[in-house]
Amino acid sequence: MEDNRIWAFEESLWTGDADHYRELIDDECVMVLPEHPFVLTGRAAIEAVANTPRWSQVAFSEQQVMRPQEGLIAIAYKAEAAKDGEAYTAYCTTTIRRLEHEVWRVVQHQQTPPPVAAVV
């Protein structure tokens, strides 16, 4: 997958609807999120995030793309998201794997908000 498609895929996870989100997250995913219970796996991870309101916009910076092996992509980035006057910043990682030609699923995602004093 080319870099521009990777970032479009990732953006769609932040802004797409719940059905779109469920379609792109693997049943065997693991997530670490900044809210209790923090560590989530499988269907619990999918439903925890799918059932939250979607961001209306997100911007990525500090973007890194790694391809450790064929069919596996790991990315890291800073996300700055907004919706209805609410803002959110986090440093994130996502790992996606190819299931078949042009079919990719998220198998890992993590979000770490910066300390409050560090948010600019």
Side-chain angles (χ1 to χ4, degrees):
M1 183 186 302
E2 297 171 0
D3 286 5
N4 61 338
R5 287 192 52 228
I6 293 168
W7 297 113
F9 178 97
E10 190 71 6
E11 180 178 350
S12 77
L13 293 167
W14 287 78
T15 60
D17 65 21
D19 288 336
H20 177 76
Y21 184 84
R22 286 183 187 101
E23 178 185 332
L24 297 182
I25 306 299
D26 196 272
D27 287 340
E28 295 299 317
C29 69
V30 60
M31 293 188 186
V32 176
L33 302 172
E35 294 183 11
H36 190 270
F38 304 106
V39 178
L40 299 157
T41 60
R43 296 302 308 167
I46 294 168
E47 293 309 315
V49 178
N51 291 322
T52 61
R54 309 316 298 160
W55 297 100
S56 57
Q57 61 184 6
V58 65
F60 301 137
S61 61
E62 302 181 38
Q63 297 160 281
Q64 300 291 319
V65 176
M66 305 303 289
R67 293 173 174 85
Q69 70 181 51
E70 181 69 28
L72 190 65
I73 298 172
I75 62 173
Y77 59 94
K78 178 181 179 183
E80 295 176 285
K83 69 173 178 217
D84 302 325
E86 178 185 353
Y88 176 72
T89 299
Y91 290 88
C92 305
T93 62
T94 300
T95 305
I96 60 175
R97 70 180 175 119
R98 185 176 56 221
L99 299 180
E100 57 187 69
H101 184 69
E102 301 299 325
V103 178
W104 294 82
R105 296 291 180 273
V106 172
V107 293
Q108 175 277 328
H109 180 73
Q110 162 276 323
Q111 295 180 16
T112 302
V116 174
V119 177
V120 205

